[in-house]
Amino acid sequence: MPVCKIDLRVNWNKSRELVLYTALAEMIEVQNNDLTVGIGYTMSPGKKLPFNYKGEPIILKNPLDFKVDLSIRDTKTTQRTLDGNDDVTAGSLNFQLRPNINYQINRRLNAQLFFERTFNEPRVPSSFKRSSTSFGIKLRFNLA
């Protein structure tokens, strides 16, 4: 009987750095918050896929892995002075979505279908919003 495996990952990182400049009477604060949520699903060999090829059901001979990661990163650099002025000088809010499918074709050949979408929204008005997309297929051949 084929067995399927489900993985769930949650990773949260938080950091804060302070730098004091006594000659300028100011302090720089850098804050980072990073949250990553991932889910994975592994279909074991012998599992029948929900679609057919030339009228025949497709049955997996090797494991098939599905993974999706969603990352949200918030970074902010603040310049603080003694007179109470706090100015955000750098930083951004980033979103990243990365699904991929990995299949071991045989003992030496592995195929991976991947997609990555990234959005970047800056915290300062002098920067521009950016987004990027990448996708493709990776074939990995093992010589050992």
Side-chain angles (χ1 to χ4, degrees):
M1 180 99 192
V3 177
C4 296
K5 181 176 86 170
I6 297 176
D7 294 324
L8 179 63
R9 298 171 309 280
V10 177
N11 187 13
W12 181 41
N13 296 317
K14 186 174 181 121
S15 68
R16 180 177 177 217
E17 297 175 27
L18 297 170
V19 178
L20 177 64
Y21 293 104
T22 54
L24 300 174
E26 68 180 22
M27 183 171 57
I28 305 294
E29 177 183 16
V30 179
Q31 293 178 332
N32 290 312
N33 291 310
D34 188 8
L35 175 67
T36 302
V37 178
I39 188 163
Y41 179 71
T42 301
M43 296 174 73
S44 60
K47 187 83 171 170
K48 187 166 77 169
L49 295 179
F51 45 87
N52 297 332
Y53 178 71
K54 294 184 180 179
E56 296 289 323
I58 299 173
I59 298 175
L60 294 177
K61 295 179 183 175
N62 295 313
L64 180 68
D65 296 326
F66 297 96
K67 291 181 185 176
V68 177
D69 288 332
L70 174 66
S71 298
I72 301 170
R73 171 173 256 182
D74 186 13
T75 59
K76 182 168 66 168
T77 301
T78 307
Q79 180 180 4
R80 302 182 188 282
T81 58
L82 286 177
D83 60 1
N85 289 337
D86 296 344
D87 296 324
V88 177
T89 58
S92 64
L93 184 61
N94 297 333
F95 296 97
Q96 190 175 55
L97 177 66
R98 295 182 312 258
N100 71 51
I101 300 171
N102 193 6
Y103 183 64
Q104 187 77 32
I105 296 172
N106 58 35
R107 190 173 67 87
R108 294 184 184 255
L109 188 61
N110 185 7
Q112 182 182 37
L113 178 66
F114 67 93
F115 178 82
E116 182 176 312
R117 179 75 172 156
T118 303
F119 299 98
N120 182 3
E121 187 166 325
R123 292 223 176 255
V124 291
S126 61
S127 296
F128 298 101
K129 292 181 181 181
R130 296 184 314 261
S131 64
S132 65
T133 303
S134 63
F135 59 92
I137 297 173
K138 292 181 188 176
L139 292 174
R140 189 173 301 153
F141 186 76
N142 188 3
L143 297 173

